[in-house]
Amino acid sequence: MKYLLWLLKAAIFFTLFAFALNNQQDATVHFFFGTSWTAPLVLVVLAAFAMGLIVGVLGMVPRWWKHRAAARDAQAAAQTPNIAPQSGDTAPAAPASSPATTTPVIVPSDVHGI
């Protein structure tokens, strides 16, 4: 199986290498205000791919921060002990259970969804 994966990686590498060798002609990218960039087509495709990755990662960062904060809050809530109700609270106190019968709270390291 290990050799099959190396063979697959080599096939992908040589396919991309052949793509780069076959696309060495110059391509011109026209920007705003009459500016342009002339470079080999392979570099233009690589730059477009890199810019897509950067935009995608920057688009994910706010949601990632939100989920990370939610996971941190959930973990902190799971680690803090329950506080006994104040004298003014009308809710009945829950019966005390032994530590052997309590179920552990599992907090996922990565929260998916909204």
Side-chain angles (χ1 to χ4, degrees), residues 70-79 105-111:
R72 189 180 319 119
D73 292 343
Q75 187 175 15
Q79 289 178 353
V105 177
I106 300 172
V107 178
S109 61
D110 187 17
V111 180

Side-chain angles (χ1 to χ4, degrees), residues 31-104:
F31 296 106
F32 299 110
F33 308 114
T35 59
S36 62
W37 174 48
T38 302
L41 183 60
V42 171
L43 290 180
V44 173
V45 170
L46 180 65
F49 178 72
M51 290 300 292
L53 282 175
I54 290 169
V55 168
V57 167
L58 289 177
M60 289 174 26
V61 166
R63 181 170 286 187
W64 178 70
W65 280 340
K66 177 182 167 186
H67 288 294
R68 187 171 167 144
R72 189 180 319 119
D73 292 343
Q75 187 175 15
Q79 289 178 353
T80 57
N82 291 336
I83 299 173
Q86 299 292 332
S87 60
D89 291 341
T90 58
S97 61
S98 66
T101 61
T102 60
T103 58

